[in-house]
Amino acid sequence: MGRQHWKKIWVGSAGNMVEWFDWFVYASFATYFAGAFFPSGNPTAQLMNTAGIFAVGFFMRPVGGWLLGRVGDRKGRKAALTLTVSLMSASAILIAVAPTYAVAGYGGVLVLLVARLLQGLSVGGEYAASATYLTEASDPARRGFASSFQYVSMTAGQIVGLGLQIILQRTMSDDALHSYGWRIPFVVGALGAAVIFYLRRSMLETEVYAEDTSHAEERGTLRALWQHKREAFLVIALTMGGTVAYYTYTTYLTKYLSNSAGLSKETATLVSFTALIVFAALQPLAGALSDRIGRRPLLITFAVGSTFLTVPIMTLLRHVDGYWPALGLALLALVVVTGYTSINACVKAELFPTGVRALGVALPYAIANALFGGTAEYVALWFKNGGIESGFYWYVAGCAAVSLVVYVTMRETKDLDLARVKAAEESGESSLTTAS
């Protein structure tokens, strides 16, 4: 892989890391600020309220996917990536200065809600713009490896957030963290986004996009996307199981270990932090493997593992009594999830032609995340509050089973020429046809 390819991947990944630091910090620090914005009472109910606002951000992602996907296809991947990080910086600042319930009643909740809406817009476009950029900027024979850095950077953002949380937990009292300490990571996120904005202004456009000859008026339009509706529905279906499993074992895991298993917040945070470091290291290895054996074997392995292992893993996690057993089970779960996360970015980008690639990835992926990923934590807490927490385990397994059917029937995409995807489709090949 050439030096220019690495430079593009580095800049795209660094921005993605800050984007997802800001996005995940909301979830990882929710246990500290949940009581600041809602009346005192049932801690689970307070977490449900903050999880509800977390989910609202996901429901803005289809809007962000459409808006910023359109920008990415019409104005370029660079323009979309610069805009996404600007929106994320603004949202982080809003959360950092949001007034508490004691100061402004539900006025603080309103500020929190607006911030999450902006984050939803930003991330709705960031995922697709980043996935498209990393896929197009890489060597065709190493697209799986290169695009795996999307989840390396996403996970790195969460690792940095959890690392900061661990530092704050060890240098500040619990009362101080609940009072004002939870605001610190949002200030850090806003400053980081400002740095990335500067870097992205000088980033290079991908050659695939620069050399695209499709009609400018058709780029990034819903009409153009509708011509690839089968691929769009395929993205929703193949995302369903992966996004539920991913958010279950990343953003929800810390709260599950502390709120259900009874581990201390510090221990639960350390488990997630350690597991995510290993998880990030696995992504390039799995991505490189997909360049050799194909995308479908990894996706199928994930779906089979998630379908049959989710219930026992979650059940055992519910009864862990220390750091090491919790870490072992978390790592097992994340190894399974790697089959999806390491390659899902390039698989989706490989389905669409250049002129509609960003929108084609963004909108259906954002819809799937709004319906399944963004609601995973809320659904989990809903089952817990209803006294049937194990119902959530079966829900996660069921979503994986649905995606398994899709993975088995879809065609292989690793050898597709990104500049000629449209020509292949017009010749009669279907994205739903199983590779021979």
Side-chain angles (χ1 to χ4, degrees), residues 306-335:
S306 191
T307 299
F308 294 103
L309 294 179
T310 294
V311 174
I313 287 175
M314 293 296 287
T315 301
L316 291 171
L317 278 172
R318 173 70 176 79
H319 298 95
V320 293
D321 57 2
Y323 169 80
W324 288 108
L327 177 62
L329 289 167
L331 287 175
L332 175 60
L334 288 174
V335 167

PDB file of all heavy atoms in Angstrom, residues 306-335:
ATOM      1  N   SER A 306     -23.036 -15.285  16.958  1.00  0.00           N
ATOM      2  CA  SER A 306     -23.925 -14.402  17.707  1.00  0.00           C
ATOM      3  C   SER A 306     -25.284 -15.045  17.954  1.00  0.00           C
ATOM      4  O   SER A 306     -25.893 -14.872  19.013  1.00  0.00           O
ATOM      5  CB  SER A 306     -24.097 -13.084  16.950  1.00  0.00           C
ATOM      6  OG  SER A 306     -24.747 -12.119  17.749  1.00  0.00           O
ATOM      7  N   THR A 307     -25.765 -15.811  16.989  1.00  0.00           N
ATOM      8  CA  THR A 307     -27.063 -16.469  17.137  1.00  0.00           C
ATOM      9  C   THR A 307     -27.046 -17.491  18.266  1.00  0.00           C
ATOM     10  O   THR A 307     -27.981 -17.564  19.074  1.00  0.00           O
ATOM     11  CB  THR A 307     -27.480 -17.157  15.821  1.00  0.00           C
ATOM     12  OG1 THR A 307     -27.595 -16.172  14.786  1.00  0.00           O
ATOM     13  CG2 THR A 307     -28.818 -17.872  15.984  1.00  0.00           C
ATOM     14  N   PHE A 308     -25.977 -18.267  18.350  1.00  0.00           N
ATOM     15  CA  PHE A 308     -25.952 -19.381  19.303  1.00  0.00           C
ATOM     16  C   PHE A 308     -25.205 -19.095  20.608  1.00  0.00           C
ATOM     17  O   PHE A 308     -25.372 -19.843  21.584  1.00  0.00           O
ATOM     18  CB  PHE A 308     -25.356 -20.616  18.623  1.00  0.00           C
ATOM     19  CG  PHE A 308     -26.206 -21.159  17.515  1.00  0.00           C
ATOM     20  CD1 PHE A 308     -25.876 -20.918  16.187  1.00  0.00           C
ATOM     21  CD2 PHE A 308     -27.361 -21.876  17.787  1.00  0.00           C
ATOM     22  CE1 PHE A 308     -26.669 -21.404  15.151  1.00  0.00           C
ATOM     23  CE2 PHE A 308     -28.161 -22.362  16.766  1.00  0.00           C
ATOM     24  CZ  PHE A 308     -27.820 -22.123  15.444  1.00  0.00           C
ATOM     25  N   LEU A 309     -24.400 -18.034  20.645  1.00  0.00           N
ATOM     26  CA  LEU A 309     -23.609 -17.767  21.850  1.00  0.00           C
ATOM     27  C   LEU A 309     -24.107 -16.591  22.679  1.00  0.00           C
ATOM     28  O   LEU A 309     -23.701 -16.432  23.831  1.00  0.00           O
ATOM     29  CB  LEU A 309     -22.140 -17.525  21.466  1.00  0.00           C
ATOM     30  CG  LEU A 309     -21.377 -18.712  20.885  1.00  0.00           C
ATOM     31  CD1 LEU A 309     -19.959 -18.307  20.529  1.00  0.00           C
ATOM     32  CD2 LEU A 309     -21.363 -19.879  21.869  1.00  0.00           C
ATOM     33  N   THR A 310     -24.961 -15.745  22.107  1.00  0.00           N
ATOM     34  CA  THR A 310     -25.396 -14.552  22.840  1.00  0.00           C
ATOM     35  C   THR A 310     -26.072 -14.885  24.165  1.00  0.00           C
ATOM     36  O   THR A 310     -25.749 -14.311  25.206  1.00  0.00           O
ATOM     37  CB  THR A 310     -26.358 -13.708  21.975  1.00  0.00           C
ATOM     38  OG1 THR A 310     -25.643 -13.188  20.852  1.00  0.00           O
ATOM     39  CG2 THR A 310     -26.926 -12.552  22.779  1.00  0.00           C
ATOM     40  N   VAL A 311     -27.023 -15.803  24.135  1.00  0.00           N
ATOM     41  CA  VAL A 311     -27.767 -16.125  25.365  1.00  0.00           C
ATOM     42  C   VAL A 311     -26.845 -16.672  26.455  1.00  0.00           C
ATOM     43  O   VAL A 311     -26.875 -16.183  27.594  1.00  0.00           O
ATOM     44  CB  VAL A 311     -28.926 -17.102  25.070  1.00  0.00           C
ATOM     45  CG1 VAL A 311     -29.588 -17.548  26.376  1.00  0.00           C
ATOM     46  CG2 VAL A 311     -29.961 -16.433  24.159  1.00  0.00           C
ATOM     47  N   PRO A 312     -25.989 -17.665  26.174  1.00  0.00           N
ATOM     48  CA  PRO A 312     -25.093 -18.132  27.243  1.00  0.00           C
ATOM     49  C   PRO A 312     -24.096 -17.082  27.708  1.00  0.00           C
ATOM     50  O   PRO A 312     -23.808 -16.976  28.905  1.00  0.00           O
ATOM     51  CB  PRO A 312     -24.384 -19.347  26.616  1.00  0.00           C
ATOM     52  CG  PRO A 312     -24.623 -19.253  25.152  1.00  0.00           C
ATOM     53  CD  PRO A 312     -25.922 -18.541  24.989  1.00  0.00           C
ATOM     54  N   ILE A 313     -23.554 -16.270  26.783  1.00  0.00           N
ATOM     55  CA  ILE A 313     -22.579 -15.242  27.178  1.00  0.00           C
ATOM     56  C   ILE A 313     -23.233 -14.205  28.087  1.00  0.00           C
ATOM     57  O   ILE A 313     -22.696 -13.856  29.156  1.00  0.00           O
ATOM     58  CB  ILE A 313     -21.964 -14.557  25.945  1.00  0.00           C
ATOM     59  CG1 ILE A 313     -20.990 -15.503  25.240  1.00  0.00           C
ATOM     60  CG2 ILE A 313     -21.224 -13.268  26.349  1.00  0.00           C
ATOM     61  CD1 ILE A 313     -20.417 -14.955  23.945  1.00  0.00           C
ATOM     62  N   MET A 314     -24.389 -13.691  27.698  1.00  0.00           N
ATOM     63  CA  MET A 314     -25.062 -12.674  28.496  1.00  0.00           C
ATOM     64  C   MET A 314     -25.529 -13.239  29.841  1.00  0.00           C
ATOM     65  O   MET A 314     -25.511 -12.541  30.860  1.00  0.00           O
ATOM     66  CB  MET A 314     -26.244 -12.096  27.718  1.00  0.00           C
ATOM     67  CG  MET A 314     -25.863 -11.304  26.486  1.00  0.00           C
ATOM     68  SD  MET A 314     -24.917  -9.799  26.863  1.00  0.00           S
ATOM     69  CE  MET A 314     -26.218  -8.751  27.546  1.00  0.00           C
ATOM     70  N   THR A 315     -25.961 -14.477  29.847  1.00  0.00           N
ATOM     71  CA  THR A 315     -26.395 -15.101  31.096  1.00  0.00           C
ATOM     72  C   THR A 315     -25.225 -15.236  32.068  1.00  0.00           C
ATOM     73  O   THR A 315     -25.349 -14.932  33.265  1.00  0.00           O
ATOM     74  CB  THR A 315     -26.998 -16.499  30.821  1.00  0.00           C
ATOM     75  OG1 THR A 315     -28.111 -16.367  29.942  1.00  0.00           O
ATOM     76  CG2 THR A 315     -27.470 -17.140  32.117  1.00  0.00           C
ATOM     77  N   LEU A 316     -24.081 -15.679  31.560  1.00  0.00           N
ATOM     78  CA  LEU A 316     -22.897 -15.803  32.407  1.00  0.00           C
ATOM     79  C   LEU A 316     -22.388 -14.446  32.867  1.00  0.00           C
ATOM     80  O   LEU A 316     -21.948 -14.292  34.018  1.00  0.00           O
ATOM     81  CB  LEU A 316     -21.797 -16.560  31.650  1.00  0.00           C
ATOM     82  CG  LEU A 316     -22.064 -18.057  31.401  1.00  0.00           C
ATOM     83  CD1 LEU A 316     -21.013 -18.635  30.456  1.00  0.00           C
ATOM     84  CD2 LEU A 316     -22.077 -18.819  32.719  1.00  0.00           C
ATOM     85  N   LEU A 317     -22.440 -13.443  31.990  1.00  0.00           N
ATOM     86  CA  LEU A 317     -22.021 -12.091  32.376  1.00  0.00           C
ATOM     87  C   LEU A 317     -22.887 -11.543  33.514  1.00  0.00           C
ATOM     88  O   LEU A 317     -22.411 -10.789  34.360  1.00  0.00           O
ATOM     89  CB  LEU A 317     -22.091 -11.144  31.170  1.00  0.00           C
ATOM     90  CG  LEU A 317     -20.912 -11.159  30.198  1.00  0.00           C
ATOM     91  CD1 LEU A 317     -21.224 -10.325  28.959  1.00  0.00           C
ATOM     92  CD2 LEU A 317     -19.639 -10.638  30.875  1.00  0.00           C
ATOM     93  N   ARG A 318     -24.140 -11.940  33.511  1.00  0.00           N
ATOM     94  CA  ARG A 318     -25.069 -11.470  34.552  1.00  0.00           C
ATOM     95  C   ARG A 318     -24.649 -11.947  35.936  1.00  0.00           C
ATOM     96  O   ARG A 318     -24.974 -11.309  36.952  1.00  0.00           O
ATOM     97  CB  ARG A 318     -26.478 -11.991  34.213  1.00  0.00           C
ATOM     98  CG  ARG A 318     -27.543 -11.731  35.280  1.00  0.00           C
ATOM     99  CD  ARG A 318     -27.876 -10.254  35.369  1.00  0.00           C
ATOM    100  NE  ARG A 318     -28.953 -10.005  36.309  1.00  0.00           N
ATOM    101  CZ  ARG A 318     -28.813  -9.965  37.644  1.00  0.00           C
ATOM    102  NH1 ARG A 318     -27.620 -10.185  38.177  1.00  0.00           N
ATOM    103  NH2 ARG A 318     -29.830  -9.723  38.433  1.00  0.00           N
ATOM    104  N   HIS A 319     -23.873 -13.034  35.999  1.00  0.00           N
ATOM    105  CA  HIS A 319     -23.509 -13.616  37.287  1.00  0.00           C
ATOM    106  C   HIS A 319     -22.009 -13.565  37.582  1.00  0.00           C
ATOM    107  O   HIS A 319     -21.533 -14.247  38.494  1.00  0.00           O
ATOM    108  CB  HIS A 319     -24.005 -15.065  37.356  1.00  0.00           C
ATOM    109  CG  HIS A 319     -25.498 -15.202  37.261  1.00  0.00           C
ATOM    110  ND1 HIS A 319     -26.147 -15.460  36.072  1.00  0.00           N
ATOM    111  CD2 HIS A 319     -26.469 -15.086  38.205  1.00  0.00           C
ATOM    112  CE1 HIS A 319     -27.453 -15.514  36.291  1.00  0.00           C
ATOM    113  NE2 HIS A 319     -27.676 -15.291  37.566  1.00  0.00           N
ATOM    114  N   VAL A 320     -21.244 -12.785  36.813  1.00  0.00           N
ATOM    115  CA  VAL A 320     -19.804 -12.688  37.090  1.00  0.00           C
ATOM    116  C   VAL A 320     -19.581 -11.976  38.419  1.00  0.00           C
ATOM    117  O   VAL A 320     -20.381 -11.135  38.843  1.00  0.00           O
ATOM    118  CB  VAL A 320     -19.059 -11.940  35.961  1.00  0.00           C
ATOM    119  CG1 VAL A 320     -19.091 -12.740  34.679  1.00  0.00           C
ATOM    120  CG2 VAL A 320     -19.628 -10.543  35.753  1.00  0.00           C
ATOM    121  N   ASP A 321     -18.462 -12.315  39.064  1.00  0.00           N
ATOM    122  CA  ASP A 321     -18.185 -11.714  40.369  1.00  0.00           C
ATOM    123  C   ASP A 321     -16.831 -11.009  40.427  1.00  0.00           C
ATOM    124  O   ASP A 321     -16.347 -10.679  41.509  1.00  0.00           O
ATOM    125  CB  ASP A 321     -18.247 -12.781  41.461  1.00  0.00           C
ATOM    126  CG  ASP A 321     -17.283 -13.940  41.200  1.00  0.00           C
ATOM    127  OD1 ASP A 321     -16.554 -13.884  40.185  1.00  0.00           O
ATOM    128  OD2 ASP A 321     -17.271 -14.885  42.011  1.00  0.00           O
ATOM    129  N   GLY A 322     -16.220 -10.798  39.255  1.00  0.00           N
ATOM    130  CA  GLY A 322     -14.928 -10.121  39.268  1.00  0.00           C
ATOM    131  C   GLY A 322     -14.461  -9.727  37.886  1.00  0.00           C
ATOM    132  O   GLY A 322     -15.119 -10.003  36.873  1.00  0.00           O
ATOM    133  N   TYR A 323     -13.296  -9.104  37.838  1.00  0.00           N
ATOM    134  CA  TYR A 323     -12.743  -8.552  36.605  1.00  0.00           C
ATOM    135  C   TYR A 323     -12.424  -9.629  35.570  1.00  0.00           C
ATOM    136  O   TYR A 323     -12.835  -9.520  34.401  1.00  0.00           O
ATOM    137  CB  TYR A 323     -11.476  -7.761  36.943  1.00  0.00           C
ATOM    138  CG  TYR A 323     -10.656  -7.350  35.744  1.00  0.00           C
ATOM    139  CD1 TYR A 323     -11.008  -6.248  34.968  1.00  0.00           C
ATOM    140  CD2 TYR A 323      -9.504  -8.071  35.381  1.00  0.00           C
ATOM    141  CE1 TYR A 323     -10.250  -5.871  33.867  1.00  0.00           C
ATOM    142  CE2 TYR A 323      -8.735  -7.698  34.294  1.00  0.00           C
ATOM    143  CZ  TYR A 323      -9.116  -6.602  33.534  1.00  0.00           C
ATOM    144  OH  TYR A 323      -8.359  -6.242  32.451  1.00  0.00           O
ATOM    145  N   TRP A 324     -11.710 -10.688  35.965  1.00  0.00           N
ATOM    146  CA  TRP A 324     -11.211 -11.660  34.985  1.00  0.00           C
ATOM    147  C   TRP A 324     -12.311 -12.461  34.293  1.00  0.00           C
ATOM    148  O   TRP A 324     -12.289 -12.608  33.070  1.00  0.00           O
ATOM    149  CB  TRP A 324     -10.191 -12.584  35.637  1.00  0.00           C
ATOM    150  CG  TRP A 324      -8.903 -11.875  35.923  1.00  0.00           C
ATOM    151  CD1 TRP A 324      -8.416 -11.502  37.144  1.00  0.00           C
ATOM    152  CD2 TRP A 324      -7.949 -11.405  34.962  1.00  0.00           C
ATOM    153  NE1 TRP A 324      -7.222 -10.828  37.005  1.00  0.00           N
ATOM    154  CE2 TRP A 324      -6.904 -10.760  35.673  1.00  0.00           C
ATOM    155  CE3 TRP A 324      -7.867 -11.467  33.567  1.00  0.00           C
ATOM    156  CZ2 TRP A 324      -5.807 -10.193  35.045  1.00  0.00           C
ATOM    157  CZ3 TRP A 324      -6.776 -10.900  32.933  1.00  0.00           C
ATOM    158  CH2 TRP A 324      -5.761 -10.266  33.661  1.00  0.00           C
ATOM    159  N   PRO A 325     -13.294 -13.001  35.018  1.00  0.00           N
ATOM    160  CA  PRO A 325     -14.355 -13.712  34.296  1.00  0.00           C
ATOM    161  C   PRO A 325     -15.166 -12.791  33.394  1.00  0.00           C
ATOM    162  O   PRO A 325     -15.579 -13.191  32.299  1.00  0.00           O
ATOM    163  CB  PRO A 325     -15.219 -14.313  35.418  1.00  0.00           C
ATOM    164  CG  PRO A 325     -14.869 -13.544  36.644  1.00  0.00           C
ATOM    165  CD  PRO A 325     -13.447 -13.135  36.481  1.00  0.00           C
ATOM    166  N   ALA A 326     -15.372 -11.552  33.834  1.00  0.00           N
ATOM    167  CA  ALA A 326     -16.100 -10.595  32.995  1.00  0.00           C
ATOM    168  C   ALA A 326     -15.307 -10.277  31.732  1.00  0.00           C
ATOM    169  O   ALA A 326     -15.862 -10.210  30.626  1.00  0.00           O
ATOM    170  CB  ALA A 326     -16.383  -9.314  33.778  1.00  0.00           C
ATOM    171  N   LEU A 327     -13.992 -10.105  31.870  1.00  0.00           N
ATOM    172  CA  LEU A 327     -13.145  -9.805  30.723  1.00  0.00           C
ATOM    173  C   LEU A 327     -13.124 -10.968  29.733  1.00  0.00           C
ATOM    174  O   LEU A 327     -13.223 -10.761  28.514  1.00  0.00           O
ATOM    175  CB  LEU A 327     -11.719  -9.495  31.187  1.00  0.00           C
ATOM    176  CG  LEU A 327     -10.697  -9.227  30.077  1.00  0.00           C
ATOM    177  CD1 LEU A 327     -11.095  -8.008  29.262  1.00  0.00           C
ATOM    178  CD2 LEU A 327      -9.292  -9.043  30.671  1.00  0.00           C
ATOM    179  N   GLY A 328     -13.015 -12.185  30.230  1.00  0.00           N
ATOM    180  CA  GLY A 328     -12.983 -13.347  29.351  1.00  0.00           C
ATOM    181  C   GLY A 328     -14.237 -13.464  28.505  1.00  0.00           C
ATOM    182  O   GLY A 328     -14.166 -13.712  27.294  1.00  0.00           O
ATOM    183  N   LEU A 329     -15.393 -13.274  29.124  1.00  0.00           N
ATOM    184  CA  LEU A 329     -16.654 -13.368  28.394  1.00  0.00           C
ATOM    185  C   LEU A 329     -16.811 -12.209  27.414  1.00  0.00           C
ATOM    186  O   LEU A 329     -17.302 -12.385  26.291  1.00  0.00           O
ATOM    187  CB  LEU A 329     -17.818 -13.385  29.384  1.00  0.00           C
ATOM    188  CG  LEU A 329     -17.958 -14.677  30.198  1.00  0.00           C
ATOM    189  CD1 LEU A 329     -18.925 -14.475  31.367  1.00  0.00           C
ATOM    190  CD2 LEU A 329     -18.436 -15.815  29.306  1.00  0.00           C
ATOM    191  N   ALA A 330     -16.388 -11.013  27.823  1.00  0.00           N
ATOM    192  CA  ALA A 330     -16.473  -9.847  26.935  1.00  0.00           C
ATOM    193  C   ALA A 330     -15.599 -10.049  25.702  1.00  0.00           C
ATOM    194  O   ALA A 330     -15.993  -9.719  24.574  1.00  0.00           O
ATOM    195  CB  ALA A 330     -16.064  -8.575  27.681  1.00  0.00           C
ATOM    196  N   LEU A 331     -14.406 -10.597  25.901  1.00  0.00           N
ATOM    197  CA  LEU A 331     -13.504 -10.850  24.768  1.00  0.00           C
ATOM    198  C   LEU A 331     -14.076 -11.896  23.824  1.00  0.00           C
ATOM    199  O   LEU A 331     -13.979 -11.751  22.597  1.00  0.00           O
ATOM    200  CB  LEU A 331     -12.135 -11.303  25.279  1.00  0.00           C
ATOM    201  CG  LEU A 331     -11.253 -10.232  25.919  1.00  0.00           C
ATOM    202  CD1 LEU A 331      -9.982 -10.847  26.476  1.00  0.00           C
ATOM    203  CD2 LEU A 331     -10.911  -9.138  24.905  1.00  0.00           C
ATOM    204  N   LEU A 332     -14.672 -12.935  24.370  1.00  0.00           N
ATOM    205  CA  LEU A 332     -15.297 -13.947  23.529  1.00  0.00           C
ATOM    206  C   LEU A 332     -16.371 -13.326  22.651  1.00  0.00           C
ATOM    207  O   LEU A 332     -16.446 -13.586  21.436  1.00  0.00           O
ATOM    208  CB  LEU A 332     -15.901 -15.052  24.395  1.00  0.00           C
ATOM    209  CG  LEU A 332     -16.711 -16.133  23.662  1.00  0.00           C
ATOM    210  CD1 LEU A 332     -15.845 -16.860  22.641  1.00  0.00           C
ATOM    211  CD2 LEU A 332     -17.307 -17.123  24.666  1.00  0.00           C
ATOM    212  N   ALA A 333     -17.203 -12.483  23.250  1.00  0.00           N
ATOM    213  CA  ALA A 333     -18.269 -11.825  22.500  1.00  0.00           C
ATOM    214  C   ALA A 333     -17.711 -10.913  21.411  1.00  0.00           C
ATOM    215  O   ALA A 333     -18.196 -10.913  20.268  1.00  0.00           O
ATOM    216  CB  ALA A 333     -19.156 -11.022  23.451  1.00  0.00           C
ATOM    217  N   LEU A 334     -16.667 -10.156  21.736  1.00  0.00           N
ATOM    218  CA  LEU A 334     -16.118  -9.201  20.776  1.00  0.00           C
ATOM    219  C   LEU A 334     -15.338  -9.888  19.661  1.00  0.00           C
ATOM    220  O   LEU A 334     -15.259  -9.362  18.550  1.00  0.00           O
ATOM    221  CB  LEU A 334     -15.239  -8.183  21.501  1.00  0.00           C
ATOM    222  CG  LEU A 334     -16.015  -7.174  22.353  1.00  0.00           C
ATOM    223  CD1 LEU A 334     -15.059  -6.297  23.162  1.00  0.00           C
ATOM    224  CD2 LEU A 334     -16.922  -6.300  21.486  1.00  0.00           C
ATOM    225  N   VAL A 335     -14.758 -11.044  19.935  1.00  0.00           N
ATOM    226  CA  VAL A 335     -14.119 -11.820  18.862  1.00  0.00           C
ATOM    227  C   VAL A 335     -15.170 -12.235  17.841  1.00  0.00           C
ATOM    228  O   VAL A 335     -14.949 -12.167  16.623  1.00  0.00           O
ATOM    229  CB  VAL A 335     -13.407 -13.067  19.436  1.00  0.00           C
ATOM    230  CG1 VAL A 335     -13.027 -14.025  18.314  1.00  0.00           C
ATOM    231  CG2 VAL A 335     -12.163 -12.655  20.203  1.00  0.00           C
TER     232      VAL A 335
END
